[in-house]
Amino acid sequence: MTQTDSRPTSAPRTKPRLVGEKQWLLFVALILCFTAWGIAADLTTPMVAGFKQIFAMSTFQASLVQFAYFGAYFLLALPAAFLNERFGYKVGLLSGLFLAAAGSFAFYPAAHIMTFTAFLGALFMIAAGCSILETSANPYVLSLGPEETATRRLNFAQAFNPVGTNIGVLLAAVLIMPKLSEPVNRANLSDAEAKAVRAGQLSAVMGPYLGLGFLLVAIAVSIAINRSPKIVEEYPDADMAGQSVPKILFSNKRYVFGVIAQFFNVAGQVCTWTYIIQYVQQSLNGSLKMGAYLLQISLIIFLVGRFIMTWVIGRVRATKVMAVLGALAIGLALFAVVSPNAVGVAAVVGISFCLSLMFPTIYGVALKGLGPATKYGAAGLVMAIVGGAVMPMVQGRLLDSTSAAVSFVVPAFCFLVVTAYALYDLRAPQPHEAEKEAVA
C-alpha cells in the first residue's frame, strides 16, 4: 500500500507587485510627468546666467529666476493638496500639467514683449504647475499598488526625474547657451540693432519652452483619456478617528522630522550642483566650460544611481541604505573642504550618487501611516523644496567670505540631517508595529 504525505502544504509566497493590476498605463503616464518637470527645472537653471546677459542685469536681479521657481513650489503646494482632497489626484495632475503648459506657451508673447518681468511671470506659471503636479503625482504613485512596494515604486518613478534633468541641461546647452554666448559688442550697435540681437536671443530661449508646452499637453491628454482606477485610501489601517489633519501631521514625529529632512536634502542637492562650477574654478583653475561638463557628469551619475538604488532597496531596507549613503555624502563633502584639488572635485561629483536615493525615500517614509492626511502631508513635503532656495544663499555668502572649498561644510551639514532621519526611522517603531503594541 502506498502512503501519501498528509502534511499540510503551504501556499507559495508571492512577491508583492511593484504596480497594481491594470494600473501600468497610468503608472507610465506618471513616469512621463516626473520626466517633464525634470526638464522644466533644469531648463530653467541656466536662465539665471542667460537673463543676466540678455537684459544686462546684476546677478542678484537675475537670481529672481530661482526665487520665482522655488517660491511657486512653496506657495502652490498647499492649494494643490486642497485640490487633491476635493477632486482627487487625477484632477490635480491635469491642473498642474495644463498650468505648466500655459506657462511654457507664455514664453511666446514674452519673447515679443521683451521684458524680464514677462519671462518671470511665465516661469512662475511653469513652477506653479509643476508644484501642483509634484504634490499630486508623488502620493498617487505611492497608492498605485501594495503598500509593501510603495517606497520602491516611488524610487522607480523618481528615477526618471533625472532623465528629464539631463534632457533639460542638454537642451539648454545645445539650443540656448550657444546663442547667448555669441560675442556681441553692444556699444557699437544702434538701438534698432541691439533690439534685433535681443529678439534673436529671446527667440532661442522661447523655442525649447514651446516644445516643453506641447509635451505637457500630450501627457495631460494621455492621462485624461486613460480611465483612472479606484484608489484605496493610503495606509487605511491607521486610526484617525476624531483627529484633525493638522493634529495628525504635527503629532507624527516621523512626518515632522521627514519634512525637516526633505528641506535639508533638497538644500544639499541644490548647493552641491550650484557651486560645483565655482569649486572647479578655484580648485583646478578650471573654466566655466569644464565646470559645466562636470555638472553634466554629476547629473548622469545621479541618474544611474537612481536606477541602481531602486534595485538595491528591493533587497535591503531603504532607510538602511540611505543611512550609509548619507554618511558617505558627509565624508565626501568634508573631504572636498580639506582637499581642494582634482581628488576633491571627484568627491564633489561623487556626492550625486549618494543623492540619488534620498528624495523619494524620505517622501515615502514620511507619509507612512498618515491615512486621510496623506494628501496634506504630501503638500508639506513639496513645500520643503524651498530649502533649495534658502541654503544655497547661506553657502554663497560663506563662499564669498572664504572659498568654494570651505563653503562645502554647508551641504555636509545638510546631509548630516538626512542621515539622522534615516537612523531615526531605523530605530523607531514602524506604523503597523506601533498599532500592534497599542492593541497588546
Side-chain angles (χ1 to χ4, degrees):
M1 183 175 66
T2 305
Q3 289 185 329
T4 58
D5 190 352
S6 59
R7 290 176 297 178
T9 58
S10 57
R13 293 182 62 183
T14 58
K15 191 175 181 180
R17 291 173 174 266
L18 179 64
V19 179
E21 190 176 358
K22 297 182 180 180
Q23 295 179 0
W24 273 102
L25 287 177
L26 186 56
F27 185 58
V28 170
L30 288 169
I31 284 175
L32 292 176
C33 290
F34 284 84
T35 305
W37 80 62
I39 294 174
D42 278 83
L43 188 57
T44 299
T45 299
M47 291 300 97
V48 175
F51 285 130
K52 179 183 178 182
Q53 180 169 331
I54 294 171
F55 295 105
M57 299 184 299
S58 67
T59 302
F60 174 77
Q61 290 172 314
S63 68
L64 289 173
V65 169
Q66 293 289 34
F67 275 103
Y69 204 87
F70 285 110
Y73 258 84
F74 182 80
L75 293 174
L76 269 294
L78 197 56
F82 283 106
L83 190 67
N84 290 329
E85 178 68 24
R86 179 68 179 84
F87 300 105
Y89 289 126
K90 187 171 183 177
V91 172
L93 287 168
L94 294 176
S95 300
L97 285 165
F98 283 121
L99 180 56
S104 300
F105 292 134
F107 269 72
Y108 180 79
H112 291 81
I113 296 171
M114 291 198 298
T115 63
F116 178 58
T117 304
F119 282 97
L120 209 59
L123 285 169
F124 185 88
M125 289 176 64
I126 293 174
C130 287
S131 177
I132 297 173
L133 184 60
E134 191 159 352
T135 304
S136 307
N138 281 303
Y140 202 11
V141 167
L142 290 175
S143 66
L144 289 180
E147 181 183 346
E148 298 93 325
T149 58
T151 299
R152 187 182 176 207
R153 185 163 54 253
L154 184 58
N155 266 278
F156 182 77
Q158 281 274 359
F160 289 86
N161 181 255
V163 172
T165 293
N166 279 277
I167 293 174
V169 171
L170 181 63
L171 289 174
V174 173
L175 301 179
I176 298 178
M177 302 313 288
K179 187 69 175 180
L180 304 185
S181 299
E182 293 177 358
V184 176
N185 188 351
R186 294 178 184 270
N188 297 330
L189 300 178
S190 65
D191 289 343
E193 290 172 332
K195 186 175 181 180
V197 169
R198 179 177 294 179
Q201 292 175 327
L202 292 176
S203 294
V205 172
M206 173 187 69
Y209 280 97
L210 292 181
L212 175 64
F214 286 114
L215 172 63
L216 292 168
V217 170
I219 296 172
V221 171
S222 70
I223 291 177
I225 64 177
N226 185 18
R227 185 177 180 181
S228 179
K230 182 179 179 181
I231 300 298
V232 178
E233 188 62 61
E234 298 87 354
Y235 313 112
D237 295 334
D239 182 12
M240 301 297 170
Q243 298 186 66
S244 65
V245 169
K247 184 177 180 181
I248 294 170
L249 296 180
F250 288 109
S251 64
N252 189 308
K253 294 180 181 179
R254 177 178 279 101
Y255 173 74
V256 173
F257 196 176
V259 171
I260 295 170
Q262 199 68 289
F263 177 96
F264 283 102
N265 166 52
V266 176
Q269 176 177 301
V270 176
C271 283
T272 300
W273 291 344
T274 298
Y275 295 108
I276 186 174
I277 294 177
Q278 288 90 327
Y279 188 89
V280 170
Q281 286 180 302
Q282 293 187 14
S283 301
L284 301 179
N285 195 26
S287 64
L288 286 172
K289 184 177 180 180
M290 179 187 292
Y293 174 71
L294 289 170
L295 173 59
Q296 184 74 68
I297 292 176
S298 298
L299 294 174
I300 293 172
I301 290 173
F302 179 75
L303 166 63
V304 174
R306 270 275 167 90
F307 285 103
I308 292 175
M309 288 302 112
T310 300
W311 179 83
V312 170
I313 64 173
R315 292 150 180 79
V316 184
R317 184 171 168 180
T319 43
K320 187 177 293 186
V321 179
M322 189 167 73
V324 174
L325 292 180
L328 179 59
I330 296 169
L332 291 172
L334 292 178
F335 182 84
V337 172
V338 300
S339 184
N341 50 38
V343 183
V345 169
V348 173
V349 171
I351 290 173
S352 292
F353 182 81
C354 303
L355 289 168
S356 61
L357 178 78
M358 293 178 181
F359 185 95
T361 298
I362 294 171
Y363 200 102
V365 170
L367 291 181
K368 281 183 179 178
L370 292 184
T374 299
K375 295 181 178 69
Y376 295 98
L381 288 163
V382 172
M383 292 172 74
I385 290 175
V386 76
V390 176
M391 296 306 290
M393 295 174 63
V394 175
Q395 185 173 357
R397 187 64 178 268
L398 182 60
L399 189 154
D400 288 338
S401 59
T402 56
S403 68
V406 172
S407 74
F408 268 80
V409 298
V410 175
F413 173 77
C414 295
F415 301 137
L416 177 63
V417 177
V418 174
T419 306
Y421 182 61
L423 294 174
Y424 166 81
D425 181 69
L426 290 173
R427 295 171 63 94
Q430 297 304 298
H432 293 304
E433 292 174 4
E435 290 171 14
K436 291 177 182 178
E437 292 176 2
V439 172

